[in-house]
Amino acid sequence: MTKISMTVNGKAVSGEVEGRTLLSAFLREELGLRGTHIGCDTSQCGACAVHLDGQLVKSCTVLAMDAAGGAVTSIEGMQNADGSLSVIQAAFQEHHGLQCGFCTPGMVMATAALLKVNPKPTEAEVRHHLEGNICRCTGYHNIVKAVLAASGQDVSAIAAE
Amino acid sequence: MHNFDFVKPATVADAARALSADGAQALSGGQTLLPTMKARLAQPSVIVSLTGISEIKGVCAVDGGVSVGAATPHAVVAAEVGKYYPALAKLAGGIGDPAVRSRGTLGGSLANNDPAACYPSAVLASAAVVHTNKRKIAADDYFQGMFSTALEEGEIITSVTFAIPEKAAYVKFDQPASRFALTGVFVAKHKGGVRVAVTGASNNGVFRWTEAEAALSASFAASAVESLTVSAEDMISDLHGSAAYRANLVKVLTKRAVTAAH
């Protein structure tokens, strides 16, 4: 076991890992941050998405040791400082962008990554950006609507079919 | 995943030394290798991460072209290469999904040489040069069949230099689950002639469609390949598409790429 340190949601953390320990396992098992969900563990579903040094990554496909020294933001770091829901989280709630909720942490992290570089995406851009996040409830229309609402756009006519 | 020792050198020289260990394996973005290791299809005893080596990251203009560091993630290529080589930037922006593009790298894609990966077609059609810690390898010599390359044991790709064509485009038909190319075609019109590289189709990995190159060098229009046929022999056949289907896609996508080229 090797001791590694990194910054998670603004706090300095450290823990013991093996070479094969994934970032997702480090967050969940070592740090107890279980908001990061493991849906497939095969790099396909995106439920485990977090930000590593500002970039969206699938934490099940990054070695914890490779992320050592970096800055991670997980779903637990997305709420406002006063504990209320962030704009993105509130939009998911408002527009029913979740059903079972399992994919939601990854969807929120992917949305935050998109809006950082593209504050007013089109519907097509949102759908393209969410290609790596699977919702097995198939609730995509409302997810897309929530993302567009979080960007401050009028969603009354979008994804209505 | 079986356990392994992990090292993260800061220089290519240190990485090369680390890779000389028994059972050592280079890890770039890990978007293919880590899933492969989880499935226990690979069991390295030492992982040598290349993600901490700044000398093999980044994009820069070079005489007549653009050089991309081997450890540059797809997202960075998509964002920064557009002003030099738009078709290459567009290809990088269509690989996998955003999270894969944050980690996956040009060098990793080329070292693996998946027969359905996007980058090999760009490298081959651009007549790019693959630079390693030991030598320079021309694209025509680099790709040697499915998952097979000219790289020697422990050799590390450091950068790839792309000559910028007059016109180019990459068009892929997505395999919708994996987002690899069910078939993809990169067309590049160079001063000296046209190169057409096809990925995702052949059992021998990326290849040049030389008949189309000759026809397009004479007349750079989609109609120039109309009379050509692509043999289904040696084409990949799987549940996503038969060999004949892929052979047909090669021609369809070549025409689309010629039309899209700018």
Side-chain angles (χ1 to χ4, degrees):
Chain A
M1 300 287 269
T2 305
K3 188 180 177 187
I4 60 165
S5 303
M6 65 181 78
T7 305
V8 176
N9 300 327
K11 281 194 291 206
V13 299
S14 57
E16 299 277 330
V17 297
E18 295 183 293
R20 63 181 165 184
T21 305
L22 300 167
L23 179 57
S24 52
F26 180 71
L27 292 172
R28 289 175 54 86
E29 293 160 24
E30 191 71 17
L31 303 182
L33 296 172
R34 296 194 176 86
T36 295
H37 290 169
I38 298 170
C40 69
D41 208 23
T42 55
S43 323
Q44 298 177 65
C45 79
C48 68
V50 300
H51 298 183
L52 172 59
D53 296 327
Q55 302 297 312
L56 183 72
V57 302
K58 293 175 184 175
S59 62
C60 82
T61 314
V62 176
L63 296 174
M65 280 196 190
D66 223 2
V72 171
T73 305
S74 68
I75 188 67
E76 290 88 349
M78 293 304 289
Q79 63 190 7
N80 295 325
D82 66 359
S84 61
L85 294 181
S86 65
V87 169
I88 294 170
Q89 290 169 313
F92 270 73
Q93 183 183 52
E94 170 72 19
H95 295 279
H96 305 282
L98 62 155
Q99 292 179 40
C100 83
F102 197 86
C103 72
T104 312
M107 291 288 181
V108 169
M109 301 315 292
T111 302
L114 172 65
L115 298 185
K116 197 167 60 174
V117 296
N118 185 356
K120 298 278 181 212
T122 63
E123 181 179 345
E125 286 170 340
V126 171
R127 289 185 186 274
H128 178 65
H129 183 81
L130 294 179
E131 279 182 346
N133 292 80
I134 294 173
C135 167
R136 220 45 307 168
C137 306
T138 69
Y140 295 105
H141 285 340
N142 283 348
I143 290 168
V144 171
K145 200 181 263 190
V147 176
L148 290 164
S151 73
Q153 302 186 75
D154 175 22
V155 295
S156 51
I158 287 171
E161 73 266 35
Chain B
M1 189 162 26
H2 290 285
N3 204 16
F4 47 82
D5 292 329
F6 177 90
V7 291
K8 190 170 178 175
T11 66
V12 172
D14 285 348
R17 265 189 291 279
L19 282 171
S20 65
D22 248 9
Q25 165 71 50
L27 175 79
S28 194
Q31 301 303 286
T32 297
L33 182 55
L34 292 175
T36 305
M37 288 165 62
K38 286 183 187 181
R40 299 193 170 182
L41 298 170
Q43 304 178 9
S45 49
V46 182
I47 281 288
V48 180
S49 170
L50 305 179
T51 62
I53 306 176
S54 54
E55 64 187 294
I56 59 170
K57 288 184 188 176
V59 172
C60 66
V62 293
D63 192 25
V66 60
S67 172
V68 180
T72 311
H74 310 325
V76 174
V77 174
E80 295 185 12
V81 170
K83 58 180 181 272
Y84 308 110
Y85 193 169
L88 181 62
K90 186 159 182 285
L91 174 148
I95 297 172
D97 58 54
V100 166
R101 294 195 286 273
S102 296
R103 296 292 294 176
T105 67
L106 170 61
S109 172
L110 296 181
N112 191 45
N113 192 21
D114 188 297
C118 296
Y119 265 134
S121 69
V123 169
L124 192 56
S126 307
V129 178
V130 179
H131 298 249
T132 76
N133 58 331
K134 293 180 178 166
R135 58 192 165 134
K136 299 176 188 177
I137 309 170
D140 284 318
D141 301 325
Y142 178 82
F143 300 103
Q144 302 193 345
M146 191 181 274
F147 297 114
S148 177
T149 72
L151 292 176
E152 291 164 4
E153 202 65 34
E155 191 171 8
I156 301 167
I157 303 174
T158 52
S159 69
V160 179
T161 310
F162 295 85
I164 297 170
E166 293 170 354
K167 289 182 172 184
Y170 174 67
V171 177
K172 75 166 163 175
F173 194 95
D174 281 12
Q175 201 277 69
S178 71
R179 308 206 184 280
F180 272 90
L182 188 64
T183 291
V185 177
F186 200 110
V187 169
K189 181 178 185 292
H190 300 273
K191 226 178 226 143
V194 176
R195 288 171 70 105
V196 178
V198 180
T199 189
S202 170
N203 280 318
N204 299 315
V206 68
F207 71 95
R208 287 172 64 190
W209 185 17
T210 50
E211 291 90 346
E213 292 182 352
L216 290 167
S217 294
S219 162
F220 194 71
S223 57
V225 299
E226 195 61 63
S227 61
L228 303 180
T229 52
V230 181
S231 166
E233 202 181 326
D234 273 344
M235 289 288 167
I236 296 169
S237 190
D238 59 22
L239 79 167
H240 306 296
S242 66
Y245 185 72
R246 280 184 165 86
N248 184 60
L249 271 181
V250 171
K251 183 163 149 182
V252 170
L253 298 179
T254 299
K255 291 198 286 188
R256 287 184 191 171
V258 170
T259 304
H262 62 274

